[in-house]
């Protein structure tokens, strides 16, 4: 199977939330190692494009969650508690928006130096 077909297969697989058992059986049984890696890479990229991760050390209030979900209404929003310090970080695909206290202090110091 050539790479464009693997990409199409990943798009079809990612259409739903869960992978159909028949598709999983086909993928695991028919694809070689290199093709399977390409398939998983495409599947991960598709998932990253439609998911927003919100990282916070402390629990986020329901009001803040609703506002964030409203802002990213076209994507699935995952709230993750992780040790990042005060504030939040929002990860959209490969982009990270950093609203942490550490980032704020660094930005302020750099502006004062200019």
């Amino acid at each position: 199977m050539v790479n464009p077909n693997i990409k199409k297969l990943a798009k079809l697989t990612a259409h739903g939330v869960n992978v159909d058992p028949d598709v999983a059986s086909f993928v695991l049984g028919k694809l070689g190692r290199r093709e399977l890696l390409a398939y998983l890479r495409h599947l991960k990229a598709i998932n990253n494009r439609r998911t927003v991760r919100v990282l916070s050390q402390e629990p986020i209030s329901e009001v803040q969650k609703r506002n964030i979900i409203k802002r990213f209404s076209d994507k699935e929003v995952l709230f993750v508690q992780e040790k990042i310090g005060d504030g939040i970080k929002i990860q959209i695909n490969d982009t990270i928006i950093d609203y942490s206290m550490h980032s704020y202090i660094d930005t302020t110091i750099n502006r004062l130096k200019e």
Side-chain angles (χ1 to χ4, degrees):
M1 189 177 280
V2 294
N3 202 15
N5 289 337
I6 292 174
K7 193 172 187 176
K8 288 179 189 176
L9 180 63
K11 284 182 182 180
L12 290 172
T13 304
H15 182 68
V17 176
N18 296 322
V19 177
D20 184 273
D22 293 333
V23 173
S25 178
F26 171 81
V27 167
L28 293 174
K30 302 290 183 184
L31 298 182
R33 178 177 159 72
R34 181 176 289 163
E35 294 166 328
L36 187 58
L37 287 172
Y39 168 77
L40 291 174
R41 190 171 35 252
H42 289 301
L43 199 57
K44 183 178 179 185
I46 291 166
N47 189 44
N48 283 344
R49 281 193 295 273
R50 66 180 186 188
T51 304
V52 173
R53 293 181 68 220
V54 179
L55 309 171
S56 173
Q57 185 165 326
E58 299 296 323
I60 297 175
S61 73
E62 289 303 316
V63 172
Q64 290 172 322
K65 283 183 180 181
R66 280 195 302 272
N67 287 337
I68 292 169
I69 290 170
K70 185 177 177 182
R71 172 66 176 94
F72 298 105
S73 60
D74 61 330
K75 299 184 183 298
E76 178 185 3
V77 180
L78 302 175
F79 294 94
V80 180
Q81 278 191 258
E82 196 172 283
K83 291 187 178 184
I84 63 161
D86 290 336
I88 64 171
K89 290 183 182 181
I90 300 174
Q91 182 179 359
I92 309 164
N93 203 1
D94 290 337
T95 304
I96 296 177
I97 303 168
D98 191 350
Y99 292 113
S100 67
M101 185 58 77
H102 179 74
S103 173
Y104 175 75
I105 291 170
D106 283 348
T107 303
T108 303
I109 288 172
N110 287 334
R111 285 183 182 164
L112 290 172
K113 287 180 180 178
E114 293 175 356

